Amino acid sequence: MSAEIELTVFEVADDIWERAHRVGNQAVNQIGNGAQWIGGALKGEFKTKPTVGQIVVDAVVSMFPVAGEITAARDAIAISLRMADSDKEAKDIWNWVALVLCLLAVVPVLGGILKGVGRLLLQAAYDSAKLSHIGEQILAFLRKMGYGNTRVFFNTLDFTAYQATVTSAYYVLMRRLRDTSIFTARELGAVLPAPVKSWLQALPPKLDKLQLLADKMIPQAFKELNALFNKVRSNLIEGNVFPITVGAGPIKIRTTEARIGEVSPIHIASKGHTEATQAHYKHKEGWPNLEGYKKKVHGRDIYPNLYSFSSKAHIEPVLLPAGKKVYLPRIIDTEKPNKAGAYWAEKFPKNGKAWRLDYAVVQAWNSNGAYLVLEHVPTKNEMRKLGIHVHDSWEGIRAWRGKAAEKVDSEGPKASGILLPGGEIQLYIDFHDAYHKPLREYVEKHIPVKPTNWIDADIPNHVQATAVFLGPNERSAKIVKQGYLLRGAATAGKQTNN
């Protein structure tokens, strides 16, 4: 047995003995039988305590795929036993957050990374003044772990994607603790101190009660983790920027590196329009399914259409009736024109900068150049006169309405790393759905296209020199030289051509 496992065995055994001790003292007369308990504990301690600890640890540690996660097993046991013994502890959300962080270690490949990021995040719950420092620690930790693209991982991480895996692991943990307590009380009952045996026999019902509470508390714990992470992430996105003079003229610098060297020379603050989650969305029959399209990122499912909406506003199914006057503009890429794309606005942006920032249109998705406007919803008769086949079920446009989520311009060779804060109203219309097929034909063949004449929407065309000051945890070797980096100024993030 390794020294680490041996130490863990004794820690778990001590915890069980201490809990049984407290329960025993509550149940007996402290002057009379209390002495018998102390004597019994001392008598049985050296014989059975290590054995009991070994049984429990062996049962739990095998849950974790990485051998070095003995500490996760130890902490998961300790937190679970503490909550099983106390209703107050069981209702404390931070105990559940701590338990979730232990169980994140069961996630294949990413478990250690997720657990490490989560433990660093807990500092933000107690000291919000150090958000920037915590963010730097997380970036340094991610680089040290060496997993893929650190910036992309940091910008796309969503703890709730692992909720199902952790919940399943929690049920396994409860079953193993329940089974080992029953086994130990039965097989070692003759040599265990009476209070330890009684405590073990009373444990399974407590664990069952705790498991019922988990259905409410685990999702809430993930919500708290994501809230902490978004707070840290938003702080890094904002950064700390102030003007200085270098050489011939003024420039702007950051006191801490927000994006591993990919910093913007102007300050763009987050407006809090973080991506919506599945909890923000309730599907309506007959409307496009925002979870119908998904892709894998870092081994987890991503729903791009759902995540294009902000968590700060309701995602509402709306019906725009046939024959209704509307004003729905759409900006399109002249190089890859897609008139019948999914995302539309309710007003025309005042310029290219406002379009890219307020609708979070990533440069790699759409470089603009032209636009079209749907000014009314065509009727069945109108489309049939144009030779378009329309099913009798056509009643108008079925769209999802909400606000655009913020996005970081991090895709493609021209990526600037700038935050696109979003927040404007957007409509999602699925033109690939059979119901909207007549409308697609109508838009593609009968809606004219006009030029935008914008010259301020192409972020990479507005480049300035930026002095980058690295924080203490960011001073690792870079591919590019330190000092001056070319970075795109934010001139203007979301309606994809797909």
Side-chain angles (χ1 to χ4, degrees):
M1 185 189 303
S2 71
E4 184 181 21
I5 294 178
E6 186 173 1
L7 177 61
T8 298
V9 165
F10 275 99
E11 287 178 342
V12 169
D14 285 342
D15 192 17
I16 292 173
W17 248 247
E18 182 183 351
R19 295 183 183 285
H21 182 176
R22 287 200 298 267
V23 173
N25 274 350
Q26 292 169 5
V28 299
N29 184 290
Q30 293 185 351
I31 297 177
N33 291 339
Q36 296 176 7
W37 149 247
I38 294 172
L42 293 173
K43 181 180 179 182
E45 181 173 3
F46 299 105
K47 292 182 179 179
T48 53
K49 183 187 284 190
T51 304
V52 172
Q54 183 74 59
I55 291 171
V56 176
V57 171
D58 284 350
V60 174
V61 75
S62 60
M63 289 174 51
F64 298 91
V66 180
E69 291 297 348
I70 184 68
T71 55
R74 177 200 64 198
D75 294 344
I77 294 168
I79 295 166
S80 298
L81 297 183
R82 182 168 71 242
M83 292 197 295
D85 266 351
S86 168
D87 288 341
K88 181 179 178 181
E89 296 286 351
K91 293 176 182 177
D92 185 342
I93 186 59
W94 295 108
N95 280 330
W96 289 94
V97 171
L99 182 59
V100 162
L101 291 180
C102 296
L103 296 178
L104 279 170
V106 306
V107 176
V109 182
L110 292 177
I113 296 176
L114 295 171
K115 189 184 72 171
V117 170
R119 289 187 183 279
L120 290 170
L121 280 177
L122 284 185
Q123 300 175 59
Y126 304 106
D127 192 352
S128 60
K130 295 183 178 180
L131 293 178
S132 180
H133 177 64
I134 294 167
E136 291 172 7
Q137 288 182 309
I138 291 174
L139 290 173
F141 170 73
L142 290 175
R143 283 201 312 281
K144 180 180 179 182
M145 297 298 288
Y147 180 79
N149 188 315
T150 300
R151 175 172 53 82
V152 172
F153 183 86
F154 183 84
N155 289 334
T156 59
L157 176 58
D158 176 8
F159 280 97
T160 59
Y162 308 98
Q163 183 174 312
T165 302
V166 167
T167 302
S168 178
Y170 172 76
Y171 290 153
V172 174
L173 173 65
M174 290 295 99
R175 187 182 69 245
R176 294 188 179 191
L177 289 178
R178 189 185 300 111
D179 290 348
T180 53
S181 63
I182 294 171
F183 172 84
T184 306
R186 183 182 68 236
E187 298 299 321
L188 300 181
V191 293
L192 285 174
V196 174
K197 179 180 178 181
S198 297
W199 183 85
L200 288 170
Q201 290 172 330
L203 185 59
K206 295 178 182 178
L207 296 174
D208 290 340
K209 183 179 178 181
L210 194 61
Q211 185 166 323
L212 291 175
L213 188 59
D215 291 336
K216 171 187 175 183
M217 301 302 286
I218 288 180
Q220 190 174 337
F222 272 98
K223 184 178 179 181
E224 292 289 349
L225 266 180
N226 257 3
L228 288 174
F229 188 54
N230 286 333
K231 187 188 297 184
V232 171
R233 182 158 49 189
S234 295
N235 184 268
L236 281 183
I237 288 171
E238 281 188 41
N240 301 302
V241 186
F242 60 89
I244 62 170
T245 299
V246 176
I251 62 174
K252 295 182 179 181
I253 65 168
R254 285 180 185 260
T255 58
T256 56
E257 183 187 25
R259 295 188 180 283
I260 322 173
E262 297 198 14
V263 293
S264 164
I266 72 171
H267 175 77
I268 301 179
S270 170
K271 298 177 182 178
H273 291 286
T274 55
E275 295 175 349
T277 67
Q278 290 169 282
H280 294 96
Y281 169 63
K282 183 177 181 181
H283 182 64
K284 181 173 181 177
E285 190 64 32
W287 263 247
N289 185 358
L290 293 180
E291 296 177 308
Y293 167 61
K294 65 181 179 180
K295 60 181 181 180
K296 290 282 187 181
V297 176
H298 302 313
R300 67 185 181 94
D301 290 334
I302 295 293
Y303 302 92
N305 296 327
L306 173 58
Y307 297 166
S308 72
F309 285 92
S310 166
S311 62
K312 288 190 71 174
H314 293 298
I315 307 174
E316 302 173 325
V318 295
L319 175 66
L320 305 177
K324 178 182 176 63
K325 288 185 177 182
V326 295
Y327 186 81
L328 303 179
R330 172 172 165 77
I331 313 302
I332 62 173
D333 190 328
T334 52
E335 295 181 3
K336 300 176 289 182
N338 181 14
K339 294 171 66 175
Y343 293 95
W344 298 70
E346 290 187 341
K347 65 180 182 181
F348 196 80
K350 64 180 181 180
N351 53 39
K353 174 183 176 181
W355 166 68
R356 197 166 291 287
L357 288 178
D358 297 342
Y359 293 91
V361 187
V362 172
Q363 172 69 27
W365 295 352
N366 190 338
S367 62
N368 107 88
Y371 74 96
L372 64 152
V373 178
L374 183 63
E375 296 182 332
H376 79 285
V377 181
T379 64
K380 287 183 285 189
N381 289 337
E382 184 181 353
M383 289 190 284
R384 284 168 178 167
K385 286 180 180 179
L386 295 172
I388 301 173
H389 176 73
V390 186
H391 194 273
D392 287 338
S393 65
W394 172 257
E395 58 178 348
I397 299 175
R398 298 172 180 173
W400 288 99
R401 183 180 186 273
K403 292 187 177 182
E406 66 182 24
K407 196 75 177 176
V408 176
D409 185 39
S410 60
E411 300 180 27
K414 295 182 179 181
S416 65
I418 290 170
L419 174 72
L420 310 171
E424 273 291 359
I425 297 294
Q426 67 179 21
L427 274 77
Y428 174 83
I429 306 169
D430 186 1
F431 284 94
H432 294 286
D433 185 81
Y435 176 82
H436 286 122
K437 184 177 179 181
L439 181 65
R440 180 187 185 96
E441 187 176 344
Y442 176 83
V443 168
E444 290 178 338
K445 293 182 178 180
H446 301 286
I447 302 296
V449 172
K450 301 176 182 180
T452 59
N453 296 318
W454 287 338
I455 60 172
D456 59 346
D458 190 1
I459 294 177
N461 283 347
H462 301 267
V463 178
Q464 301 175 4
T466 302
V468 179
F469 279 22
L470 300 181
N473 291 322
E474 296 291 326
R475 293 176 186 146
S476 59
K478 304 281 183 177
I479 296 175
V480 297
K481 294 181 180 180
Q482 304 300 334
Y484 291 96
L485 300 178
L486 288 180
R487 291 291 173 252
T491 62
K494 181 159 26 264
Q495 292 160 329
T496 176
N497 286 315
N498 296 330

